[in-house]
């Protein structure tokens, strides 16, 4: 009799527990299901190519099946390659000039846009942001014609009013770098301004009010409150600027293609592209990619360490 009663009661008493347990298990599994697409994409399209590139950098590859392990030969060749040093010099100069312009100038614009007395600030924010929405290839083509060596080119036309020129902009090292930096500044000025603006708007107004009570000047408030409070934003902008500088490709390819005169427009990526897809030397192209990765990581680690972001506050 007792067994019959237990058999009738236990399924009903356990079913809510089972449902609760199943619900808890699903809650534990759900986060992994949501992030699994990203993890799969990362493993297939990022981690696997990265590891395979490191392996290929130690190989001589001629075709899809003809691979030969050659140890450090590609790296020895790279350190004796003058085109590699030319590409390194070009991207270093480009990164230096873009950082020199694209950190202080967007910060200044963000301060103006964050001022409550600035009129039409939302309109100007949109105007500054529009360039990044345009296609890099189209922008490069437009600026390529603007920097034409012909007297009818836009910049040569402007210089003609000063009795200067015409200048062969894209066949001279200095003016070619100027042409690259101008495109970058025009395109990314608004984006960096938005980054700094978001940082400025997160600074508590009470800090400025306390400083004003203590008699702090505008420069004192900027130096002692604004700059320290937007330090993470500045570091982020600096980091992506370094990465963008060393991965420059679209603008140089539109200007000169894979081969520029005297390599004045050669960057790491254009050299990798030419080595892999024009020369068919995939092993050496992977070596260039690995070295580029090492350089970018090293520079960013140094700048982050110098700025003290690894230190505990």
């Amino acid at each position: 009799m007792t067994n019959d009663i237990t058999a009738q009661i236990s399924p009903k008493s356990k079913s809510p527990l089972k449902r609760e347990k199943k619900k808890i298990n699903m809650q534990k599994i759900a986060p992994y299901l949501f992030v699994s697409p990203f993890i799969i994409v990362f493993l297939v399209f990022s981690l696997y190519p990265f590891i395979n590139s490191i392996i290929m950098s130690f190989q001589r590859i001629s075709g899809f099946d003809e691979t030969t392990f050659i140890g450090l030969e590609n790296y020895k060749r790279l350190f004796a390659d003058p085109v590699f040093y030319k590409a390194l010099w070009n991207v270093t100069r480009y990164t230096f000039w873009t950082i020199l312009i694209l950190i202080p100038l967007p910060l200044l614009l963000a301060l103006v846009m964050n001022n409550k007395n600035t009129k039409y600030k939302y309109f100007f924010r949109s105007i500054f942001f529009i360039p990044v929405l345009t296609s890099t290839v189209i922008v490069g083509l437009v600026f390529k014609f603007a920097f034409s060596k012909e007297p009818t080119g836009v910049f040569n036309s402007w210089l003609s009013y000063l009795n200067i020129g015409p200048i062969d902009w894209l066949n001279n090292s200095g003016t070619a770098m100027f042409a690259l930096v101008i495109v970058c500044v025009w395109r990314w000025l608004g984006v960096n301004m938005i980054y700094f603006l978001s940082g400025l708007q997160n600074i508590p107004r009470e800090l400025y009010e306390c400083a004003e009570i203590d008699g702090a000047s505008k420069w004192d408030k900027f130096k002692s409150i604004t700059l320290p409070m937007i330090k993470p934003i500045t570091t982020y902008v600096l980091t992506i600027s370094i990465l963008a500088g060393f991965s420059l490709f679209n603008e140089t390819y539109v200007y000169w293609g894979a081969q520029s005169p005297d390599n004045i427009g050669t960057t790491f990526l254009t050299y990798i592209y030419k080595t892999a897809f024009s020369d068919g030397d995939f092993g050496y192209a992977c070596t260039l990619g690995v070295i580029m990765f090492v350089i970018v990581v090293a520079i960013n680690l140094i700048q982050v360490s110098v700025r003290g972001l690894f230190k505990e506050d």
Side-chain angles (χ1 to χ4, degrees):
M1 183 67 180
T2 306
N3 292 336
D4 293 341
I5 294 173
T6 305
Q8 292 176 359
I9 294 175
S10 59
K12 293 181 180 178
S13 60
K14 286 182 179 178
S15 60
L17 293 175
K18 286 183 178 179
R19 284 199 296 271
E20 187 66 25
K21 189 176 180 181
K22 186 177 180 182
K23 183 179 178 182
I24 292 172
N25 288 335
M26 286 300 296
Q27 288 177 340
K28 289 180 179 177
I29 295 172
Y32 298 101
L33 291 177
F34 282 117
V35 300
S36 60
F38 167 76
I39 293 174
I40 293 171
V41 170
F42 172 75
L43 292 175
V44 174
F45 295 104
S46 295
L47 187 60
Y48 171 74
F50 175 70
I51 294 174
N52 208 32
S53 297
I54 295 175
I55 296 171
M56 290 169 67
S57 69
F58 296 100
Q59 296 175 335
R60 180 184 296 114
I61 302 172
S62 304
F64 290 104
D65 297 327
E66 299 178 15
T67 59
T68 307
F69 181 77
I70 57 173
L72 296 174
E73 286 302 316
N74 281 334
Y75 289 91
K76 292 178 182 176
R77 175 185 165 191
L78 182 142
F79 291 117
D81 185 356
V83 181
F84 163 72
Y85 292 106
K86 184 71 175 180
L88 179 61
W89 172 240
N90 287 339
V91 294
T92 302
R93 279 199 305 160
Y94 175 81
T95 306
F96 171 79
W97 286 114
T98 52
I99 289 174
L100 192 66
I101 298 171
L102 282 177
I103 289 196
L105 187 57
L107 176 57
L108 179 62
L109 286 175
L111 289 169
V112 174
M113 292 296 122
N114 196 45
N115 192 317
K116 61 183 180 182
N117 296 322
T118 302
K119 294 182 179 179
Y120 311 113
K121 60 177 72 175
Y122 297 106
F123 171 76
F124 285 113
R125 287 179 193 175
S126 302
I127 292 296
F128 283 122
F129 193 77
I130 283 176
V132 79
L133 302 178
T134 56
S135 165
T136 307
V137 175
I138 294 174
V139 171
L141 287 172
V142 170
F143 273 88
K144 183 178 181 180
F145 288 112
F147 282 110
S148 169
K149 64 181 179 182
E150 301 298 329
T152 52
V154 174
F155 289 92
N156 278 335
S157 298
W158 292 346
L159 290 178
S160 67
Y161 293 111
L162 302 173
N163 293 323
I164 299 175
I167 295 175
D168 192 358
W169 295 93
L170 301 182
N171 286 312
N172 178 280
S173 178
T175 53
M177 182 57 59
F178 176 77
L180 287 172
V181 172
I182 285 292
V183 175
C184 179
V185 170
W186 179 82
R187 186 169 168 77
W188 296 107
L189 180 66
V191 177
N192 288 0
M193 182 197 73
I194 295 296
Y195 287 141
F196 284 119
L197 191 58
S198 65
L200 292 174
Q201 291 179 343
N202 284 325
I203 300 175
R205 302 299 306 173
E206 292 80 6
L207 294 177
Y208 293 110
E209 293 170 359
C210 292
E212 288 172 2
I213 293 172
D214 291 338
S217 64
K218 290 184 178 180
W219 170 248
D220 291 332
K221 289 188 285 185
F222 177 74
K223 183 181 66 174
S224 303
I225 298 175
T226 304
L227 284 181
M229 293 297 288
I230 63 169
K231 186 177 178 181
I233 299 293
T234 308
T235 303
Y236 174 73
V237 172
L238 188 57
T239 302
I240 62 172
S241 298
I242 292 171
L243 178 60
F246 277 80
S247 59
L248 175 66
F249 177 77
N250 289 340
E251 292 83 353
T252 57
Y253 193 80
V254 172
Y255 277 171
W256 297 284
Q259 184 68 51
S260 57
D262 197 26
N263 291 308
I264 58 174
T266 299
T267 65
F268 277 138
L269 289 193
T270 56
Y271 193 31
I272 290 172
Y273 178 86
K274 177 178 177 296
T275 304
F277 299 107
S278 297
D279 303 338
D281 193 350
F282 290 96
Y284 189 57
C286 288
T287 307
L288 288 164
V290 171
I291 291 298
M292 173 185 160
F293 170 78
V294 171
I295 291 173
V296 171
V297 170
I299 292 175
N300 276 314
L301 285 177
I302 291 170
Q303 68 96 0
V304 170
S305 300
V306 169
R307 294 181 62 79
L309 292 193
F310 288 148
K311 298 177 182 176
E312 295 183 2
D313 292 332

